[in-house]
Amino acid sequence: MYDIIVIGGGHAGCEAALAPARMGLKVLMVTSNIKRIAHLSCNPSVGGPAKGIVVREIDALGGEMGRNTDKSQIQMRLLNTGKGPGVQALRAQADKVDYPRNMQETLLKQENLTILEAMVDDLIVEDNIVKGVVLENNEKIYSKAGIITTGTYLKARIMISSETRESGPDNERPAKNLSDNLRRLGFKMMRLKTGTPARVAIDSIDYSKTIIQPGDPVPRAFSFDTTNIKPVEEQLPCYLTYTTEETHRIIRENITKSSMYGAIENIESRGPRYCPSIEDKIMRFADKPRHQVFLEPESKYIPEIYLQGLSTSLPRDVQEQFIRTIPGLENCKIVRYAYAIEYDAIDPRQLWPTLESKLVENLYFAGQVNGTSGYEEAAGQGIMAGINAALKIQGKEPLILKRNEAYIGVMIDDLVTKGTTEPYRLLTSRAEYRLLLRHDNADIRLREYGYKIGLIDEERYARFQQKLRNIRSEMERLKSIRIYPTEEVNSYLETIPSSPLRENIIALELLKRPETTYEHIIHMLKEDMRLTSEESEQVEIEVKYEGYIKKMLQQVEKFAKLEEKRIPENIDYSKIPNLANEAKQKLSQVRPLTIGQAQRISGVNPSDIAILMVYLETYRRRGRNDE
């Protein structure tokens, strides 16, 4: 008997297993191939816009992805540095060998966690409560809760043109029976698609025809606790090139040979809108003369380059033709061809915001099986499913992150409230409070939660508390210090450049100027730096964006009242008079927990919300009278 069984060893599975094990529960991870745990089957990168913030949120809660990326990265960059802090995020090239190796080592050393190499065929369900799993050999293993993190393996098939074969990523065994058994339990399934580009030999590229993309010149890390940051000089560069008109011509002439454009009939799967294949790019954006192609190293140990931006399901000979029309790749040697993969996923509207199933109690889902795409989205769901499964077993209140608290909260709310018909990708534009959900403040937003549930130890929490004290005390100190318009000060301001002072000014007010930094202020005060770079960044952002942040917090407060208005789970929406039929259908399907969640359901209009609120007030009064 285990407390929790985690099915799958991908990025969701790793976080889903580690979190409850670190919270003191007995966990079993069942995976088809131990050597493939945490494998980077597609893009050899972690992070990016919005996604990089998710990695920091996972770290703030006490997860592993950020720390493992710091140990395994071969390049690190902070994106969008020319834009505001609300859209900045880290992106790393992760070593395809080191990343899974380091994560496997972490899992194998973790107390309370057992790993079993096997295939799960079915679930043990009694009275609509999950009790365990049935393995391929009919062996039964029992548990109090289960977490399904099967990624793209459910009834997976790989497609190259008209050629298809049952397979998971990189020719791994697919899970053939589990999705049929989920259907038998009443789960609504959908068919989704993703893909991967070709890999070429690293020494077959003419880099003189490309544009080098180095890592940042300063050391960076995802984890707030990483101290041993890899030296900048150990980073490997990426390179940028572009498709050509000849590339586009070859693809257009062979478009019917693509799996998704006619080579295979009756394909029902939908691909990711925001990470399209090269065929999709050329057909949907016919006016564009070229598209970016990033040449990304996969590992220090593997002499292969990943062709980011060239995902395709065209035949091998066509791949050879069009890839060699791209500058720098004219004589490249293709070592692995691109392919598309389709797989089963569940409709995520069948889940509560805790990621627990509405159909089977104590059964949780996380990752691409919920319709998402990306390692980061998967890991973010994994840690939340693991935390909430553990909290339920411990008899504690669940942890549901709000939309103003985390991108993880935005993602899960989007999934369980709106659902998805294509692989969901997290974007900064999905977050209405993105100035609050910044890369720099993930620990300030979430570390307290991690500490309270037992994933952040006393030492890490003490460092975090000291950081908060440093920031607050320095902001108070800068409010009490004045800088005077001396010749020396004004001469220095000209070098920034910033306009000279005409009269004395409070140091904190001078910091509000867009061009001035905390370091500039300290220089004018003739002091040594009092804060770390992370702490000074916090001070600068809080001071410079004070007005915007206050306005956004007022919006949060306004909408928080709707989030506090709970909806009883046993409400029968079909009996609410004057409620539109579409609203009745959508509300019955999602069964929102609050008025705030109800108003985010597509198809539910403001007039429906008004009717619902009046009905709930009558419902509550009737309940009080009955008492």
Side-chain angles (χ1 to χ4, degrees):
M1 167 66 75
Y2 290 88
D3 290 311
I4 297 172
I5 295 176
V6 176
I7 304 169
H11 304 283
C14 290
E15 301 291 351
L18 284 169
R22 289 169 173 171
M23 293 167 72
L25 278 72
K26 189 179 177 185
V27 180
L28 174 69
M29 173 192 278
V30 185
T31 180
S32 61
N33 187 343
I34 289 176
K35 293 180 181 178
R36 304 285 290 184
I37 288 174
H39 182 63
L40 301 170
S41 57
C42 193
N43 195 341
S45 72
V46 175
K51 293 167 174 277
I53 301 174
V54 168
V55 178
R56 290 211 120 194
E57 292 175 348
I58 293 166
D59 180 72
L61 289 167
E64 196 63 30
M65 177 173 263
R67 292 196 289 185
N68 192 52
T69 303
D70 292 343
K71 288 188 286 187
S72 313
Q73 58 96 357
I74 52 180
Q75 189 193 97
M76 187 81 76
R77 296 178 67 189
L78 183 63
L79 306 182
N80 297 326
T81 53
K83 299 179 181 179
V87 294
Q88 292 177 8
L90 278 176
R91 184 181 189 272
Q93 290 298 123
D95 193 295
K96 198 168 187 175
V97 175
D98 284 342
Y99 187 93
R101 182 166 59 195
N102 290 333
M103 186 65 86
Q104 289 163 27
E105 184 179 345
T106 299
L107 291 163
L108 291 168
K109 288 181 178 178
Q110 178 60 50
E111 190 179 354
N112 301 321
L113 175 58
T114 303
I115 301 175
L116 173 66
E117 189 170 86
M119 186 73 78
V120 173
D121 263 11
D122 201 357
L123 303 174
I124 303 169
V125 178
E126 298 173 7
D127 299 323
N128 285 330
I129 302 172
V130 71
K131 300 290 185 178
V133 300
V134 181
L135 303 182
E136 193 175 39
N137 62 2
N138 289 322
E139 180 185 351
K140 294 181 179 180
I141 306 177
Y142 292 88
S143 66
K144 298 174 185 175
I147 305 175
I148 295 180
T149 67
T150 46
T152 61
Y153 282 80
L154 292 183
K155 285 207 162 181
R157 68 166 177 167
I158 280 177
M159 302 174 290
I160 302 178
S161 189
S162 59
E163 173 192 333
T164 68
R165 66 181 185 278
E166 291 184 348
S167 175
D170 289 341
N171 298 314
E172 286 292 304
R173 287 181 63 202
K176 295 182 180 180
N177 300 321
L178 185 56
S179 81
D180 285 340
N181 286 317
L182 289 173
R183 285 188 178 89
R184 176 179 52 80
L185 290 168
F187 285 94
K188 180 183 177 184
M189 309 296 289
M190 55 184 172
R191 202 77 174 144
L192 298 178
K193 182 213 79 139
T194 187
T196 189
R199 277 71 158 178
V200 302
I202 201 166
D203 58 359
S204 66
I205 298 169
D206 184 352
Y207 295 100
S208 67
K209 296 182 179 179
T210 66
I211 305 165
I212 192 168
Q213 305 285 299
D216 280 355
V218 295
R220 299 190 188 277
F222 273 109
S223 176
F224 292 98
D225 301 304
T226 295
T227 54
N228 186 24
I229 301 176
K230 284 191 175 180
V232 169
E233 56 268 20
E234 291 184 13
Q235 294 189 124
L236 300 180
C238 299
Y239 297 87
L240 172 63
T241 184
Y242 294 88
T243 60
T244 64
E245 290 287 0
E246 181 67 4
T247 315
H248 299 192
R249 182 190 66 77
I250 293 170
I251 291 171
R252 281 194 296 266
E253 288 180 358
N254 291 278
I255 195 66
T256 56
K257 297 177 183 178
S258 166
S259 303
M260 310 307 292
Y261 278 86
I264 299 175
E265 294 183 1
N266 303 319
I267 286 184
E268 299 176 4
S269 54
R270 298 277 301 270
R273 179 190 304 265
Y274 300 103
C275 189
S277 66
I278 189 63
E279 298 100 293
D280 279 344
K281 290 178 188 176
I282 288 167
M283 299 304 289
R284 284 165 48 193
F285 309 107
D287 58 319
K288 287 203 168 187
R290 64 179 191 173
H291 295 280
Q292 290 181 328
V293 180
F294 286 96
L295 311 181
E296 300 177 343
E298 292 204 301
S299 170
K300 303 188 299 285
Y301 316 101
I302 302 173
E304 295 178 9
I305 288 288
Y306 180 95
L307 303 183
Q308 169 69 10
L310 288 183
S311 172
T312 182
S313 60
L314 284 163
R316 294 175 183 83
D317 61 326
V318 178
Q319 291 186 39
E320 297 257 5
Q321 289 176 50
F322 81 73
I323 287 173
R324 289 177 178 147
T325 64
I326 296 170
L329 302 178
E330 294 89 345
N331 299 303
C332 72
K333 178 184 177 183
I334 298 177
V335 292
R336 280 191 290 160
Y337 290 93
Y339 61 83
I341 183 169
E342 64 171 7
Y343 54 93
D344 278 355
I346 68 160
D347 184 337
R349 290 173 295 181
Q350 298 165 106
L351 305 176
W352 297 113
T354 58
L355 296 180
E356 183 183 11
S357 154
K358 295 174 181 175
L359 301 177
V360 178
E361 190 176 349
N362 295 344
L363 179 63
Y364 296 75
F365 290 79
Q368 287 185 265
V369 71
N370 288 345
T372 58
S373 66
Y375 310 141
E376 306 83 359
E377 287 95 333
Q381 293 169 71
I383 192 170
M384 295 310 297
I387 287 170
N388 280 312
L391 290 173
K392 187 169 186 185
I393 290 170
Q394 293 172 340
K396 298 176 181 177
E397 286 295 308
L399 176 61
I400 299 173
L401 299 177
K402 303 182 186 70
R403 294 182 71 91
N404 62 289
E405 290 182 312
Y407 271 99
I408 294 174
V410 172
M411 168 178 61
I412 293 176
D413 184 65
D414 280 352
L415 290 172
V416 303
T417 304
K418 302 174 184 176
T420 186
T421 57
E422 61 191 27
Y424 173 97
R425 181 179 180 184
L426 200 54
L427 305 166
T428 54
S429 59
R430 296 192 191 273
E432 59 270 44
Y433 306 118
R434 59 180 173 270
L435 187 56
L436 303 180
L437 310 181
R438 304 188 307 273
H439 151 91
D440 60 274
N441 70 349
D443 59 338
I444 295 173
R445 292 184 276 119
L446 302 176
R447 184 131 287 192
E448 192 74 34
Y449 288 130
Y451 175 68
K452 286 180 178 177
I453 60 180
L455 291 180
I456 298 297
D457 61 29
E458 293 292 343
E459 183 184 347
R460 293 163 75 186
Y461 186 66
R463 287 200 302 268
F464 166 65
Q465 288 292 308
Q466 185 60 53
K467 174 182 175 179
L468 292 184
R469 285 193 293 270
N470 292 345
I471 292 167
R472 289 169 188 152
S473 64
E474 184 64 354
M475 288 184 71
E476 288 302 315
R477 191 181 77 90
L478 293 179
K479 287 179 184 177
S480 65
I481 297 175
R482 288 186 175 272
I483 295 177
Y484 294 87
T486 64
E487 185 177 341
E488 185 180 359
V489 165
N490 282 336
S491 296
Y492 181 70
L493 285 169
E494 286 181 13
T495 66
I496 292 177
S498 186
S499 57
L501 298 180
R502 297 183 182 277
E503 56 188 26
N504 63 65
I505 186 172
I506 294 172
L508 201 72
E509 290 298 315
L510 184 55
L511 186 55
K512 288 183 178 180
R513 292 185 178 184
E515 67 277 7
T516 58
T517 66
Y518 174 74
E519 191 173 352
H520 292 147
I521 301 296
I522 293 300
H523 179 88
M524 284 181 271
L525 294 173
K526 296 183 179 180
E527 298 175 348
D528 294 329
M529 289 288 284
R530 291 169 169 261
L531 302 178
T532 66
S533 58
E534 279 194 354
E535 291 166 352
S536 62
E537 182 182 27
Q538 278 296 305
V539 169
E540 287 182 26
I541 292 172
E542 289 293 328
V543 170
K544 293 181 188 299
Y545 292 88
E546 180 186 16
Y548 296 104
I549 291 171
K550 279 185 177 178
K551 186 176 180 181
M552 199 160 278
L553 288 172
Q554 288 169 356
Q555 293 176 2
V556 170
E557 189 176 348
K558 176 183 175 183
F559 287 106
K561 294 174 182 176
L562 295 177
E563 297 297 341
E564 291 168 3
K565 292 183 182 296
R566 304 283 297 181
I567 301 175
E569 286 185 27
N570 59 350
I571 285 287
D572 185 348
Y573 293 101
S574 66
K575 294 181 179 179
I576 300 179
N578 303 318
L579 197 63
N581 287 333
E582 184 181 6
K584 290 179 180 179
Q585 179 189 352
K586 295 290 180 67
L587 290 165
S588 299
Q589 181 182 40
V590 176
R591 289 157 64 193
L593 298 178
T594 66
I595 290 293
Q597 187 185 1
Q599 72 173 1
R600 291 191 293 274
I601 300 172
S602 57
V604 177
N605 298 316
S607 57
D608 299 315
I609 295 296
I611 292 167
L612 176 60
M613 290 178 72
V614 170
Y615 178 83
L616 288 176
E617 185 58 33
T618 306
Y619 181 91
R620 290 190 180 97
R621 286 176 183 170
R622 191 187 312 134
R624 286 196 293 270
N625 291 336
D626 290 343
E627 290 174 4

